Amino acid sequence: MMKFRFRRQGADPQREKLKQELFAFNKTVEHGFPNQPSALAFDPELRIMAIGTRSGAVKIYGAPGVEFTGLHRDAATVTQMHFLPGQGRLLTLLDDSSLHLWEIIPHSGCARLEEALSFQPPSRPGFEGASTLPGLTRITVVLLLAAGDMAALGTEGGSVFFLDVTTLTLLEAQTLGPEEVLRSLPDDYRCGKALGPVESLQGHQRDPTKILIGYSRGLLVIWNRAVQRVAHIFLGNQQLESLCWGRGGGTTVSSHTDAVPPLGPFPCKAVNKILWRSCESGGHFIIFSGGMPRASYGDRHCVSVLRAETLVTLDFTSRIIDFFTVHSTRPEDEFDDPQALAVLLEEELVVLDLQTPGWPAVPAPYLAPLHSSAITCSAHVANVPAKLWARIISAGEQQSPQPTSSAASWPITGGRNLAQEPSQRGLLLTGHEDGTVRFWDASGVALRPLYKLSTAGLFQTDCEHADSLAQAAEDDWPPFRKVGCFDPYSDDPRLGVQKVSLCKYTAQMVVAGTAGRVLVLELSDVPAEQAVSVASVDLLQDREGFTWKGHERLSPRTGPLPWPAGFQPRVLVQCLPPAAVTAVTLHAEWSLVAFGTSHGFGLFDYQRKSPVLARCTLHPNDSLAMEGPLSRVKSLKKSLRQSFRRIRKSRVSGKKRAPSASSKLQEANAQLAEQACPHDVEVTPVQRRIEPRSADDSLSGVVRCLYFADTFLRDAAHHGPTMWAGTNSGSVFAYALEVPTASAGGEKRPERAGEAVLGKEVQLMHRAPVVAIAVLDGRGRPLPEPHPGAVGTRTGLCPPAACHQVFTLPKVSAKTKFKLTAHEGCRVRKVALATFTSVACEDYAETCLACLTNLGDVHVFSVPGLRPQVHYPCIRKEDISGIASCVFTRHGQGFYLVSPSEFERFSLSARNITEPLCSLDISWPHGATRPRLRESPKLSQANGTPSIILAPQSCDGSPDPTHSKGADTPELPEATLSPMSVDSATSADTTLDTTGDVTVEDVKDFLGASEESEQNLRNLAEDEARACTILIK
């Protein structure tokens, strides 16, 4: 008897066309601050700014929503950038002395950034193909001349070369060598010494034929290009650092290494850069970086602003990259009259208003440092009501009120944002290491900060004493002023936020932290002074033999405390032991909050301020769960030891395995089956064997997910409130809740306590971790929110780390399963239910399950059938932190940390795409040409992976032929579409909140990748030998 497993021939063309209209993968925009910036440029005519990075990325910013991104072919550091004023062209210098010309060109009604030309300096003399040009070894400084068609290149050998910018070719006839300059110097100054490298080049704003050249030795030379001779010489003996030439050409300001200290009288550090700006009202500005007293403040990063008798030393928390002033550049103006000062730091961008007394900082509408404190978790809330949105913005404005006398706004306003106004408002919540939660406007391209919630004031820490000491030290000279919000140091690691959940309808939220605290807050429009109720829940339930060895819990402050307008704490629930909270969910209608740790989960009624349930999930061998997060090294060592033992065991068993006596017979049967098998029928893929987890695996009691739903649990006729919990060992607990409800005419709930009764307990095969739980209605759609009028049967969706499973309720019997690990060899890391609207028909939409694996791939499945739709490579599998930080949105988009300071935004929907759509008003000079020597691909991903548009890929691996996209998806009627995230109960649009901490599971996956791949290949080879075997009886 022969036994074959066949699959349906081919694919449905209509379904494949529909997939193209629903799904498309795009990496669209990077939110946040560029990682490792290295260069800065500003175009005063177009009002746009450019930032270059160490990875070779080029990012241009204008008005909010106007962004252009490019990436050099070679991953070299961008050292200098210069705009051709008003032309939309940018000249970049890399650390390998190569020059690159970028252009903003129109494309499909918008504009994009492309590399037009590149120039590599000739080789050094003595090598094959070397140029006869002397001294062109390394370019140290670049100056764009006033006409914009020529650039001067200062080199390490002291020569100055001139370059035609339109073609990036050297003008050898105009080269200025150091010998010609030395001939113009007095004999006593030459005395056999070289001039040194060219440190600075400055152009005369009114006479483009004159160039001010500064050499490292301290010599300043004014070179006249028209007559090819030295016009003036300024002799100096201190090492030169920076130059600035005044508007009229009569004032030259230089900074040196060992000159007279500006902030003396003690020895000071070098002044790295200096600017001199004239004012019509008198009192010119002198702005310089560095120059701090070496012994006292040599380790500080400062920019000093001096005008007349007023001196302010801006004290930053990260290294200064560069700075510029926004001032008048028209030749007919006699004065500069600076309006703003922009300082690019290694971790943030700070802009100051120079026209307002006190020089206050200007709030940035974008480029805010997401990592002002390290991000520990994130969550997305879609379709935020307009009322809640306005209240959050109002609370944020009260936090940082602007001076009434300030009339300045954001000075970088170039370009036009052509994107349509978003149809719905989206909030991105980020939890941080210092106990803060930040609210971001994620509706468009610009990620705008809205509001910051701080929870550290509720607890007693040592920061007050440190602040008083720091304040006492600030009274010395020079007058320091703290500027910027980047503060990477946390007062107490226990303040870190691990989970956040927001109910957008009641303006209530819960914040859970590292030390087992669960804080319930409510939005208030006015400041208040009130006490916070404190309760504790023992998750161990007095279990004997366990001793907590981790950190102590935070001590809350007692008595009434002042709270500003915004989210104000109401109840503090302390988990015992004080382990980090791993899962949390909020149900505002029932006034219940559920939380879980590595020891168990609990349920708390925050209106009655009483615990409802506490369940311990510890296994007797879970000793690591009692050691806290600081002892994870032991678990890592144990996992490594176990991995090597498995590798050694598999190799030994492979050597001992004797060849089977019936191998020839099996081989003959396999060949016969291959001949008999029809070639036009596709055989189902071979599944990998999944090894079940050990019951005594460490940290098996960790609660991975919690979920509220109004569904059928006891029987099919009566539905009611339920709570679901999933653990790291594959256990699912379902509780039926008795929630006291108010009467029809009453306003308050009765005082009797609620109850939780265990209804079901399920142990999944292979003991794979339960990543998320969701309940679907009878039509296979997620519940929008619990409502008493719901009828019909419901199904439960439970995606473990190895597969996706669908169960029917109330029997909790398995209905559908897709073995992701068996088919793809990967594990589930993040999941969410998302809505995909057709780009061809606005009224058609499907709800699907989006899944991110430990290999960085994104898979989309239909629900409840769990049929694979498409899959795309999204994140590098080596990027463990990026995979751990990923969060999906309701409408098929997602975010993940591509660097500590940047969120990469991607879209799985063909219709709902958030990407920069902008244009620039560029005035090309008369007769200018646009050379296109070679094509440069668009690389908008600045940290490794290019932003490319991939067509949807069908389940069999064949790419779809077309790709389409459209505008943002408007919110559909509830009857048509009612999606809900797998980690939310009250809000249908709050997606699974994810932590950015790297867990032991993530490290195990990464370290065991090679071992798992080897085992999977071995299993695959064995299964392939049995797939088409003829069974002979």
Side-chain angles (χ1 to χ4, degrees):
M1 178 178 87
M2 293 186 298
K3 184 177 181 181
F4 296 99
R5 293 175 296 170
F6 298 116
R7 199 164 60 182
R8 185 179 57 177
Q9 295 187 18
D12 185 5
Q14 186 176 1
R15 180 59 189 172
E16 293 301 317
K17 180 181 178 181
L18 188 58
K19 286 182 182 180
Q20 299 172 18
E21 298 173 353
L22 291 174
F23 310 110
F25 180 75
N26 294 278
K27 287 187 177 181
T28 55
V29 67
E30 293 177 357
H31 296 300
F33 185 77
N35 186 40
Q36 295 182 332
S38 57
L40 177 68
F42 179 69
D43 189 338
E45 295 187 18
L46 295 180
R47 291 274 178 156
I48 56 177
M49 176 185 65
I51 296 178
T53 69
R54 295 184 189 175
S55 60
V58 177
K59 300 189 176 186
I60 298 179
Y61 302 92
V66 177
E67 294 186 15
F68 304 94
T69 305
L71 185 67
H72 290 89
R73 293 179 180 271
D74 299 328
T77 300
V78 181
T79 57
Q80 295 183 39
M81 311 175 75
H82 302 273
F83 273 108
L84 279 66
Q87 301 182 25
R89 296 197 284 183
L90 179 71
L91 187 65
T92 61
L93 173 66
L94 305 186
D95 59 355
D96 60 357
S97 293
S98 62
L99 291 168
H100 303 262
L101 182 64
W102 297 81
E103 293 181 353
I104 300 176
I105 62 174
H107 177 73
S108 301
C110 302
R112 69 180 184 184
L113 181 65
E114 285 191 357
E115 182 180 353
L117 297 173
S118 64
F119 168 77
Q120 186 70 38
S123 305
R124 295 187 179 184
F127 292 90
E128 183 179 356
S131 173
T132 57
L133 296 176
L136 188 51
T137 55
R138 190 175 71 88
I139 301 175
T140 56
V141 62
V142 177
L143 169 66
L144 282 176
L145 302 184
D149 59 348
M150 189 180 298
L153 311 178
T155 65
E156 191 175 29
S159 300
V160 178
F161 297 87
F162 292 90
L163 187 76
D164 185 355
V165 177
T166 58
T167 60
L168 289 191
T169 56
L170 285 176
L171 304 176
E172 300 184 11
Q174 301 188 26
T175 302
L176 172 63
E179 297 82 5
E180 189 167 356
V181 176
L182 286 172
R183 284 196 295 266
S184 304
L185 299 179
D187 294 338
D188 58 344
Y189 188 81
R190 282 182 291 182
C191 62
K193 293 184 179 179
L195 299 178
V198 178
E199 290 291 339
S200 181
L201 292 174
Q202 297 291 317
H204 198 293
Q205 293 191 8
R206 297 180 179 177
D207 188 357
T209 63
K210 293 182 179 180
I211 299 177
L212 178 63
I213 307 172
Y215 294 91
S216 175
R217 181 179 173 183
L219 174 67
L220 304 183
V221 174
I222 297 181
W223 174 258
N224 193 325
R225 293 192 304 112
V227 296
Q228 295 287 307
R229 56 180 294 182
V230 175
H232 294 281
I233 295 176
F234 304 93
L235 303 180
N237 293 316
Q238 288 101 6
Q239 182 177 344
L240 181 68
E241 292 288 336
S242 176
L243 272 179
C244 183
W245 206 355
R247 171 179 290 269
T251 304
T252 300
V253 181
S254 63
S255 64
H256 302 263
T257 301
D258 299 321
V260 178
L263 301 175
F266 302 104
C268 296
K269 299 191 69 175
V271 176
N272 301 318
K273 182 178 179 178
I274 191 167
L275 296 178
W276 186 85
R277 297 290 181 255
S278 59
C279 297
E280 187 176 5
S281 59
H284 307 310
F285 278 94
I286 298 178
I287 306 171
F288 59 91
S289 62
M292 291 294 104
R294 189 180 300 273
S296 303
Y297 307 111
D299 57 342
R300 299 218 180 179
H301 312 287
C302 299
V303 171
S304 299
V305 183
L306 176 63
R307 185 184 185 187
E309 301 298 327
T310 304
L311 172 65
V312 173
T313 300
L314 307 174
D315 189 9
F316 302 101
T317 55
S318 59
R319 186 171 61 92
I320 299 167
I321 303 298
D322 202 354
F323 57 91
F324 64 85
T325 58
V326 180
H327 60 277
S328 174
T329 58
R330 294 177 297 182
E332 60 270 17
D333 291 340
E334 186 178 355
F335 299 95
D336 296 315
D337 289 329
Q339 307 166 11
L341 169 66
V343 183
L344 176 65
L345 308 168
E346 196 170 30
E347 306 294 349
E348 61 182 327
L349 177 72
V350 177
V351 176
L352 277 77
D353 178 14
L354 298 181
Q355 294 182 326
T356 302
W359 304 329
V362 180
Y366 50 85
L367 285 179
L370 300 174
H371 63 315
S372 54
S373 178
I375 297 177
T376 52
C377 68
S378 57
H380 185 270
V381 183
N383 296 337
V384 179
K387 183 177 180 181
L388 175 61
W389 190 268
R391 295 178 66 188
I392 292 176
I393 292 179
S394 175
E397 292 175 348
Q398 295 183 47
Q399 280 185 334
S400 56
Q402 293 300 306
T404 55
S405 58
S406 177
S409 58
W410 184 249
I412 306 166
T413 58
R416 295 194 310 272
N417 184 11
L418 304 180
Q420 298 180 357
E421 190 69 20
S423 57
Q424 55 90 19
R425 299 293 182 182
L427 271 179
L428 181 64
L429 310 180
T430 56
H432 297 264
E433 193 179 32
D434 60 352
T436 60
V437 178
R438 287 172 167 82
F439 292 65
W440 308 89
D441 179 7
S443 308
V445 173
L447 192 67
R448 181 167 61 101
L450 299 179
Y451 167 71
K452 183 179 76 172
L453 165 67
S454 178
T455 62
L458 180 60
F459 304 98
Q460 297 178 4
T461 59
D462 298 332
C463 60
E464 295 86 357
H465 179 64
D467 290 344
S468 61
L469 293 179
Q471 186 65 31
E474 297 299 329
D475 298 334
D476 298 336
W477 175 264
F480 289 104
R481 190 176 109 191
K482 286 286 186 182
V483 182
C485 59
F486 177 73
D487 185 11
Y489 307 106
S490 176
D491 298 320
D492 195 323
R494 297 175 296 175
L495 291 172
V497 176
Q498 293 296 320
K499 295 290 178 180
V500 293
S501 179
L502 171 67
C503 175
K504 64 182 182 181
Y505 300 114
T506 60
Q508 296 179 352
M509 72 177 301
V510 56
V511 177
T514 303
R517 71 182 188 279
V518 179
L519 191 60
V520 181
L521 306 99
E522 187 174 1
L523 183 60
S524 176
D525 298 328
V526 295
E529 185 172 350
Q530 59 187 6
V532 179
S533 302
V534 181
S536 61
V537 176
D538 185 9
L539 299 180
L540 291 180
Q541 296 293 294
D542 299 328
R543 181 174 294 192
E544 298 180 357
F546 288 93
T547 304
W548 173 247
K549 303 176 184 178
H551 49 244
E552 297 294 331
R553 62 179 178 177
L554 288 167
S555 300
R557 301 177 186 271
T558 58
L561 299 174
W563 302 104
F567 282 92
Q568 300 174 354
R570 297 287 185 260
V571 179
L572 172 63
V573 183
Q574 179 63 54
C575 301
L576 298 176
V581 178
T582 57
V584 72
T585 185
L586 174 72
H587 200 297
E589 183 183 354
W590 302 336
S591 299
L592 294 176
V593 57
F595 46 86
T597 67
S598 57
H599 307 115
F601 56 89
L603 184 64
F604 192 85
D605 187 337
Y606 59 85
Q607 180 174 334
R608 297 186 64 255
K609 300 178 178 58
S610 63
V612 178
L613 170 68
R615 172 69 183 261
C616 181
T617 57
L618 281 180
H619 190 272
N621 295 333
D622 278 348
S623 58
L624 289 176
M626 309 307 298
E627 298 178 0
L630 300 181
S631 300
R632 295 294 176 89
V633 178
K634 294 183 179 180
S635 70
L636 178 58
K637 290 181 179 179
K638 182 179 179 182
S639 64
L640 289 173
R641 191 180 304 113
Q642 292 175 350
S643 299
F644 283 115
R645 286 176 180 174
R646 285 196 296 266
I647 294 175
R648 191 181 303 111
K649 183 179 179 181
S650 63
R651 290 176 178 174
V652 172
S653 61
K655 293 179 180 179
K656 292 181 179 180
R657 187 182 297 114
S660 174
S662 59
S663 58
K664 295 184 178 180
L665 179 61
Q666 292 181 359
E667 183 179 355
N669 289 336
Q671 295 178 358
L672 180 61
E674 183 178 356
Q675 296 176 2
C677 180
H679 294 283
D680 58 342
V681 179
E682 184 181 0
V683 182
T684 57
V686 180
Q687 298 183 8
R688 298 167 175 84
R689 288 197 298 268
I690 304 176
E691 296 294 335
R693 283 193 168 203
S694 174
D696 58 350
D697 192 8
S698 61
L699 301 177
S700 62
V702 175
V703 179
R704 297 290 294 269
C705 60
L706 293 164
Y707 181 74
F708 284 117
D710 188 338
T711 185
F712 303 91
L713 185 61
R714 295 177 177 175
D715 53 58
H718 303 87
H719 62 83
T722 61
M723 187 197 74
W724 302 71
T727 69
N728 210 39
S729 60
S731 299
V732 178
F733 303 91
Y735 284 84
L737 306 179
E738 295 290 340
V739 180
T741 58
S743 58
E747 298 181 357
K748 296 183 178 181
R749 289 174 50 188
E751 293 299 324
R752 66 184 183 89
E755 297 181 0
V757 180
L758 180 62
K760 306 287 182 180
E761 183 174 347
V762 181
Q763 178 62 56
L764 301 180
M765 291 182 59
H766 309 298
R767 308 182 65 87
V770 181
V771 179
I773 300 174
V775 175
L776 311 176
D777 61 13
R779 297 174 296 177
R781 294 173 178 170
L783 302 182
E785 53 187 322
H787 54 92
V791 294
T793 60
R794 296 183 181 177
T795 57
L797 177 63
C798 176
C803 64
H804 303 299
Q805 289 185 257
V806 175
F807 298 88
T808 59
L809 298 178
K811 294 183 179 181
V812 195
S813 58
K815 179 180 180 181
T816 311
K817 178 191 295 185
F818 182 83
K819 300 178 181 179
L820 187 64
T821 302
H823 287 281
E824 305 293 340
C826 54
R827 297 175 182 172
V828 180
R829 278 294 165 257
K830 305 292 178 182
V831 291
L833 291 168
T835 301
F836 296 91
T837 306
S838 173
V839 72
C841 180
E842 185 178 352
D843 297 331
Y844 181 80
E846 292 185 6
T847 300
C848 299
L849 179 69
C851 162
L852 176 69
T853 70
N854 64 318
L855 301 181
D857 299 332
V858 176
H859 297 253
V860 179
F861 300 88
S862 63
V863 289
L866 293 183
R867 295 182 180 273
Q869 302 300 307
V870 291
H871 66 275
Y872 310 100
C874 182
I875 310 174
R876 294 180 299 107
K877 63 180 181 180
E878 297 85 4
D879 189 2
I880 302 177
S881 61
I883 296 175
S885 63
C886 181
V887 57
F888 290 102
T889 72
R890 160 180 181 167
H891 297 299
Q893 296 191 19
F895 303 85
Y896 70 92
L897 285 174
V898 72
S899 71
S901 59
E902 291 174 292
F903 269 112
E904 174 77 54
R905 187 170 191 151
F906 63 91
S907 175
L908 304 174
S909 172
R911 185 180 185 89
N912 185 28
I913 301 177
T914 303
E915 61 181 351
L917 298 174
C918 46
S919 66
L920 275 178
D921 295 329
I922 300 174
S923 59
W924 289 83
H926 180 69
T929 59
R930 294 170 53 185
R932 315 299 307 169
L933 296 186
R934 60 182 175 85
E935 290 296 327
S936 175
K938 180 183 178 183
L939 302 174
S940 61
Q941 167 66 26
N943 291 284
T945 306
S947 175
I948 53 179
I949 299 176
L950 299 177
Q953 190 173 13
S954 58
C955 302
D956 58 357
S958 60
D960 290 328
T962 61
H963 166 73
S964 57
K965 61 183 179 180
D968 292 341
T969 305
E971 186 174 1
L972 299 179
E974 200 65 55
T976 305
L977 191 62
S978 57
M980 183 172 68
S981 167
V982 294
D983 196 35
S984 171
T986 306
S987 169
D989 313 322
T990 307
T991 59
L992 175 67
D993 50 340
T994 59
T995 177
D997 291 341
V998 179
T999 62
V1000 177
E1001 297 296 328
D1002 300 325
V1003 179
K1004 282 182 179 180
D1005 290 341
F1006 178 67
L1007 295 178
S1010 58
E1011 173 193 352
E1012 185 178 358
S1013 301
E1014 181 181 351
Q1015 183 67 26
N1016 288 336
L1017 290 175
R1018 187 160 47 251
N1019 295 338
L1020 183 62
E1022 295 175 1
D1023 292 340
E1024 284 178 349
R1026 296 192 301 265
C1028 298
T1029 302
I1030 301 175
L1031 304 180
I1032 302 176
K1033 292 187 179 180

